[in-house]
Amino acid sequence: MLTILNQNGNSLVLANKHKDNRDPKNWKGFTFAVPFEQSHQTLQLRNYLATAGLDPDQDVKYRIVPPTEYVASLRVGSIDGFFGGEPGGQRAVYEGAGFIHLISKDIWDGHPCCSVTAAESWIQQNPNTFMAFYRAIIASSLHVSKPENRVGMAKVLSEPQYLNAPEIVLEQVLSGTYADGLGTIRKDPRRVDYQPFPQYSAAVWLMTQLRRWNMLKEDVDYKVLAEKVMLATDAARIMREQGVTPPAVGFGTERILGNEFDSNKPQDYLASVRKGG
């Protein structure tokens, strides 16, 4: 994993019929669309439901749906909601199909969303191309991490060959000033962010969720695997080359739903959240 392409930038969206049912404790029997079972969206949704007291394995259903079909599925009533990347959430509001219950930043501020990855074999076979690509990705991420550099970004991304979405929808996501579908205009300039640094702590949390829900059938050395996969040291070096001070390379903490996760103690965390624990 070379870099994180963006942080935040997702929404937990519900169908309009649930506007008076905002407490997740009452969502037993709901069907949620997710991009795939091991996605960060699914893992965050499961954690959110579990924190509310539901059993994510038994109390709700998950439907694997392409992100381009979220809004249509919501409109026809085949799902009750979805946890997905933008512009899906904002488009649901724009088309009157649903409302934003929460943006993902409200659940886990700074969480990784999309990533830039490459096969180790390709890196070894194409070292010059790899480094040119790596530097370009980090440079572009750092550029659009500044809000003033996002002018015109929505227009480009709205084109059919990219996101094929209304420009106004993308502008609401990128600017952080958006309609939530509940009659309120909200403002959060970090609704989506672009910090190209892969945090070990985020990788460890995601892996513990895979283990928590038995998607990993046995424990792994979470810290060793995070260091092997996440090229944090390389990303930090390239960021310094480009005049930016990177975060410290190491195992820190994440704050998720108000709780602190210490990536140095994954087994302690798992012991605290497992069923019956």
Side-chain angles (χ1 to χ4, degrees):
M1 184 173 290
L2 284 62
T3 75
I4 300 302
L5 199 58
N6 71 282
Q7 291 80 25
N8 305 330
N10 287 248
S11 295
L12 175 51
V13 176
L14 296 180
N16 286 328
K17 64 182 179 181
H18 297 304
K19 284 186 176 180
D20 294 325
N21 187 13
R22 299 287 307 282
D23 189 340
K25 293 178 181 178
N26 301 323
W27 294 356
K28 190 171 183 178
F30 275 27
T31 297
F32 288 98
V34 292
F36 60 97
E37 290 179 354
Q38 296 83 19
S39 66
H40 81 83
Q41 291 96 340
T42 309
L43 299 177
Q44 288 202 66
L45 176 59
R46 280 176 164 271
N47 184 57
Y48 182 70
L49 297 172
T51 301
L54 296 186
D55 182 340
D57 285 325
Q58 302 293 328
D59 291 341
V60 302
K61 295 179 180 178
Y62 309 94
R63 182 169 295 171
I64 309 304
V65 175
T68 53
E69 297 178 14
Y70 287 161
V71 177
S73 299
L74 203 64
R75 187 184 297 111
V76 301
S78 60
I79 59 173
D80 293 283
F82 65 83
F83 197 135
E86 298 300 347
Q90 202 58 53
R91 189 157 193 167
V93 173
Y94 178 77
E95 297 189 12
F99 65 94
I100 296 172
H101 173 69
L102 287 174
I103 58 173
S104 58
K105 177 179 175 289
D106 295 334
I107 296 175
W108 178 7
D109 187 4
H111 73 81
C113 181
C114 301
S115 65
V116 182
T117 61
E120 192 171 17
S121 59
W122 180 82
I123 293 173
Q124 293 172 350
Q125 293 165 12
N126 304 275
N128 293 334
T129 301
F130 161 69
M131 284 309 303
F133 172 70
Y134 204 172
R135 289 189 175 102
I137 288 291
I138 287 183
S140 60
S141 296
L142 293 172
H143 180 73
V144 296
S145 67
K146 300 176 182 177
E148 63 269 24
N149 291 336
R150 297 183 192 178
V151 176
M153 194 173 170
K155 182 175 179 60
V156 173
L157 291 176
S158 68
E159 296 296 324
Q161 67 268 36
Y162 298 120
L163 294 177
N164 193 29
E167 185 177 341
I168 189 174
V169 168
L170 294 167
E171 189 61 45
Q172 289 184 74
V173 175
L174 293 165
S175 69
T177 299
Y178 64 97
D180 65 1
L182 294 167
T184 301
I185 301 297
R186 301 192 178 276
K187 293 186 178 182
D188 192 327
R190 291 187 59 255
R191 182 182 180 183
V192 62
D193 203 0
Y194 300 91
Q195 303 297 328
F197 185 80
Q199 294 280 5
Y200 292 156
S201 53
V204 173
W205 187 84
L206 292 168
M207 285 189 283
T208 61
Q209 299 310 299
L210 293 173
R211 183 70 182 107
R212 177 184 185 184
W213 306 117
N214 209 34
M215 297 176 191
L216 279 175
K217 300 302 181 183
E218 58 186 26
D219 286 319
V220 297
D221 193 325
Y222 302 99
K223 294 178 65 177
V224 167
L225 191 54
E227 286 182 303
K228 179 177 175 59
V229 173
M230 311 285 274
L231 301 187
T233 301
D234 300 87
R237 175 173 52 80
I238 295 173
M239 290 174 72
R240 282 193 292 269
E241 287 176 2
Q242 299 187 10
V244 175
T245 301
V249 176
F251 290 88
T253 61
E254 300 286 340
R255 181 160 290 277
I256 303 165
L257 289 173
N259 298 312
E260 187 172 274
F261 171 77
D262 185 349
S263 63
N264 282 294
K265 301 176 180 178
Q267 292 295 352
D268 289 355
Y269 168 77
L270 282 168
S272 74
V273 296
R274 279 179 172 143
K275 292 179 182 179

